[in-house]
Amino acid sequence: MQDSSWKSLSLQPSVAQLEQIFEFSSHLVFIYNWDLKKLIFVNNRVAEKLGYTPEDIQQMEGSILTFVEHPDKEGFLKEIHAEYESLEVGKKVEFVCKLLHKNGSIRTLRNRSMLLARDSPEASRLIMNVAEDITDTLEREADLLKKQYQFNEAEAIFKCGTWEWQANRKGIEWSEGIFKIMGLSSEEYKDKTISRRFYESFIAPEHVKRFADYTVQVLAEHRPSYEIEHRIINAEGMVKYVTLQGHIYYDEQGRVQRIMGMLADRTEIITYQNELERRLTALNKSNRNLEQFAYVASHDLQEPLRKIIAFGERLAKKYKEQLGSEGQFFVDRMTGAAQRMHALIEDLLAYSRASRQTESYASVNLNEVVKNVLEDLEVKIQEKKASITIDDLPAVEAQSVQMHQLFLNLIENALKFTKPGTTPKIAIQVRKIVPYEAPTVGRINPKENYFEFIISDNGIGFEAEYAERIFTIFQRLHGRAEYAGTGLGLAICRKIVEAHHGFIEAQGKPGEGAKFIFYLLVTQPNTP
């Protein structure tokens, strides 16, 4: 059939055929009798998308315009009516409106309306409106915009961006985050795509060769991932420390097909690390100077104190008669004060040593340590008639001198704070911490092995509110007249335990005794 004869054919479908065609359409079809202001036809898609059956529309007197949702509904309908009134054959009107679904939800329709040709001038004006339900599309677009916004916000917060390269595309696609790191506006780059050489032009000169060599090596070895730290000088002239990461996808022939990755700006982190390291170095230097000063000052104080004590004792013995009772009292007070000062200096020296590693770590048999401690305290134990029970103690990696000091202070503390008229009972218990207990203990590393030690007594105890205070330097819960001491013993214990990467705590009740619980590593970190 020739084109001319094809064009000469005139298709004049029947009303029934038109209805079948409209029912076949995936869009909503409305036909208005404009003269009567009434719908005369709707296809089944209207019921599917809006919930209104032909019977419902008939009850609405052939109109669903009453269900239009708009902030200025009256003005909106007047505008549409004006468009319809001036509509000519061959022209169309397009608009978007929201309609209330029968179930109460809101659906958004994109409409295209056209005036149908009339068979005669007397025939009614018919307007056909074809509508597409775009509600789900708009929701997806809004959701995508929301996710893109959240993604951009996340990139801004974490100072990073993503990139992608594909074999069938030209260039590397950057996310908004990378453009910000590079000090560039993404709007100036078509499809947010740049070349590899463009990025490499920002790399700091001293890192260019290392960057290029690493890239060649990764591809030559067909590595699945890519990661390199380097510096860049961005478009604003700012030096940035960045980490470039990527995951590489190869085809069956080993050719690179796709690389997806991330660029992270680590400038603030590196700056903070450098500043922390600088401050830590300064702090360590200051601490060493303070420790040296404390040690030297304390050591130099020992000699005059020893002389005061020695001459005081000689004075008391040789000139006892001449001094009289009052003079003897003054000499005793002077000698006692000097002895307390001597003890305080000794404890300060011990406290200073506890924060320094004066000897290397070695395997220490704690049974031997406690045996030596009990020999040192033999006189006090006999005076108090104390009963001491001890578990079989393990060997730990530690400094033996400090372990001796630790157990000496804790046992001596238990002997000191006894109840009058009561035989002191002291128990030293130990057990190994199993891994699943680590979370319940709290301050220990679940990846390390620990021993838990408990030194308990039946002494005077203390209020729970003082459980932390008693480890503070120079803190005393009782007067010197009641219980002698400098207030440094438990502070030294904490220093020693913490120097061995453990921790110590205390529990007690007034009149019921006290418990000192401490945790020591089986093996110290970074030791062979």
Side-chain angles (χ1 to χ4, degrees):
M1 183 179 292
Q2 299 296 321
D3 287 345
S4 59
S5 59
W6 169 254
K7 291 178 181 178
S8 67
L9 289 175
S10 176
L11 295 176
Q12 294 183 344
S14 65
V15 173
Q17 288 173 328
L18 282 175
E19 288 184 3
Q20 286 181 336
I21 293 171
F22 293 150
E23 293 297 351
F24 183 75
S25 172
S26 60
H27 291 43
L28 295 80
V29 179
F30 307 84
I31 296 181
Y32 290 91
N33 185 319
W34 184 244
D35 295 330
L36 299 177
K37 301 294 189 291
K38 183 177 181 180
L39 277 172
I40 60 173
F41 173 81
V42 294
N43 67 351
N44 289 335
R45 298 295 176 272
V46 175
E48 291 175 11
K49 297 293 185 180
L50 297 176
Y52 301 109
T53 64
E55 291 76 17
D56 294 329
I57 296 172
Q58 188 174 4
Q59 291 177 3
M60 299 175 205
E61 297 183 352
S63 175
I64 60 169
L65 294 179
T66 52
F67 293 96
V68 170
E69 290 289 321
H70 196 279
D72 180 18
K73 181 176 177 179
E74 184 177 348
F76 175 73
L77 292 177
K78 183 182 288 188
E79 184 180 339
I80 297 301
H81 284 170
E83 293 277 0
Y84 279 1
E85 190 67 46
S86 60
L87 195 58
E88 298 177 359
V89 175
K91 300 295 179 74
K92 62 181 178 180
V93 173
E94 295 187 3
F95 61 94
V96 174
C97 69
K98 293 182 178 180
L99 293 181
L100 184 67
H101 192 285
K102 191 175 181 179
N103 63 13
S105 62
I106 303 295
R107 307 301 293 181
T108 303
L109 305 182
R110 180 184 287 121
N111 300 269
R112 294 190 301 276
S113 301
M114 61 179 295
L115 181 65
L116 298 178
R118 288 186 284 187
D119 294 334
S120 65
E122 295 79 18
S124 295
R125 299 177 70 213
L126 301 180
I127 296 177
M128 182 175 70
N129 184 76
V130 178
E132 177 187 2
D133 186 352
I134 59 172
T135 309
D136 296 338
T137 302
L138 291 177
E139 287 179 356
R140 284 193 296 271
E141 289 176 355
D143 187 53
L144 284 173
L145 286 174
K146 179 182 177 181
K147 288 180 178 177
Q148 185 62 49
Y149 173 79
Q150 292 173 336
F151 182 74
N152 290 342
E153 285 295 298
E155 286 191 338
I157 292 170
F158 294 105
K159 299 186 183 303
C160 65
T162 59
W163 58 275
E164 181 178 1
W165 174 88
Q166 291 190 36
N168 58 351
R169 295 183 187 174
K170 288 185 177 180
I172 303 168
E173 185 178 343
W174 280 358
S175 71
E176 190 65 32
I178 297 186
F179 282 101
K180 288 183 178 179
I181 293 172
M182 305 303 292
L184 299 168
S185 172
S186 61
E187 295 177 0
E188 298 178 8
Y189 298 86
K190 184 180 179 182
D191 301 326
K192 295 186 177 182
T193 300
I194 58 90
S195 68
R196 172 182 159 185
R197 288 191 176 183
F198 178 74
Y199 174 75
E200 290 177 348
S201 67
F202 290 95
I203 298 175
E206 65 272 20
H207 287 179
V208 170
K209 185 177 186 306
R210 182 169 67 86
F211 184 91
D213 291 346
Y214 177 76
T215 303
V216 170
Q217 184 180 9
V218 167
L219 295 177
E221 295 175 2
H222 288 79
R223 296 185 190 178
S225 60
Y226 181 101
E227 181 173 349
I228 185 170
E229 295 180 0
H230 55 286
R231 285 196 300 273
I232 61 169
I233 303 171
N234 73 6
E236 297 171 343
M238 298 176 64
V239 177
K240 298 274 188 180
Y241 293 84
V242 298
T243 299
L244 184 68
Q245 297 174 315
H247 190 83
I248 307 172
Y249 300 86
Y250 300 90
D251 61 16
E252 294 179 356
Q253 287 73 41
R255 293 172 298 201
V256 180
Q257 293 299 300
R258 186 183 186 191
I259 307 176
M260 295 180 64
M262 180 181 74
L263 183 74
D265 181 359
R266 301 178 64 249
T267 308
E268 285 189 10
I269 296 173
I270 296 294
T271 303
Y272 290 150
Q273 285 177 342
N274 291 340
E275 179 63 17
L276 283 174
E277 288 174 4
R278 186 190 68 77
R279 292 189 179 189
L280 183 60
T281 300
L283 181 62
N284 288 335
K285 182 179 179 181
S286 175
N287 285 340
R288 285 193 300 270
N289 291 338
L290 286 172
E291 286 176 6
Q292 186 177 10
F293 171 78
Y295 184 83
V296 171
S298 299
H299 187 270
D300 289 347
L301 286 172
Q302 296 281 45
E303 184 58 28
L305 277 176
R306 280 194 290 267
K307 287 183 179 179
I308 291 172
I309 294 169
F311 285 122
E313 290 174 348
R314 289 181 187 179
L315 188 64
K317 288 179 181 179
K318 190 171 182 179
Y319 299 98
K320 183 175 182 180
E321 299 299 329
Q322 291 90 328
L323 287 172
S325 59
E326 186 177 12
Q328 185 70 41
F329 173 76
F330 289 146
V331 171
D332 289 343
R333 290 290 301 271
M334 178 190 71
T335 307
Q339 287 172 339
R340 288 196 301 274
M341 185 66 169
H342 176 73
L344 181 59
I345 291 172
E346 287 293 331
D347 282 352
L348 278 171
L349 288 172
Y351 185 79
S352 177
R353 283 192 297 267
S355 63
R356 292 180 286 124
Q357 188 171 338
T358 55
E359 59 177 310
S360 59
Y361 293 119
S363 180
V364 177
N365 187 331
L366 295 181
N367 284 315
E368 289 295 322
V369 169
V370 173
K371 178 184 175 183
N372 293 333
V373 167
L374 295 181
E375 288 177 359
D376 292 345
L377 298 173
E378 184 177 3
V379 174
K380 289 184 180 180
I381 294 171
Q382 289 177 354
E383 287 176 354
K384 298 273 188 174
K385 297 180 181 179
S387 169
I388 302 177
T389 58
I390 307 168
D391 285 354
D392 183 29
L393 301 178
V396 296
E397 221 171 46
Q399 298 180 51
S400 60
V401 173
Q402 292 197 352
M403 288 297 101
H404 184 94
Q405 183 80 55
L406 173 64
F407 280 92
L408 177 69
N409 285 7
L410 290 175
I411 296 172
E412 193 172 28
N413 188 79
L415 289 170
K416 182 192 300 183
F417 296 102
T418 56
K419 289 186 292 186
T422 303
T423 300
K425 292 183 179 180
I426 302 170
I428 303 176
Q429 299 168 291
V430 64
R431 70 186 184 97
K432 193 169 184 179
I433 297 295
V434 292
Y436 70 81
E437 291 182 280
T440 62
V441 174
R443 284 184 284 176
I444 66 174
N445 185 346
K447 296 180 180 179
E448 301 286 354
N449 295 314
Y450 291 81
F451 284 112
E452 177 190 70
F453 298 86
I454 301 176
I455 299 181
S456 57
D457 62 60
N458 63 340
I460 62 173
F462 57 85
E463 294 284 356
E465 62 187 280
Y466 299 122
E468 186 63 25
R469 177 180 165 187
I470 59 177
F471 291 105
T472 306
I473 189 171
F474 298 131
Q475 289 295 318
R476 302 172 59 94
L477 301 185
H478 308 279
R480 188 181 294 110
E482 296 177 90
Y483 299 97
T486 61
L488 276 164
L490 293 178
I492 292 171
C493 290
R494 169 164 281 183
K495 273 271 189 177
I496 291 171
V497 172
E498 290 180 350
H500 285 76
H501 306 96
F503 79 93
I504 186 171
E505 60 185 2
Q507 299 174 2
K509 288 185 179 180
E512 296 185 18
K515 284 183 180 180
F516 289 88
I517 306 163
F518 59 96
Y519 298 85
L520 294 177
L521 283 168
V522 177
T523 304
Q524 290 297 322
N526 302 321
T527 55

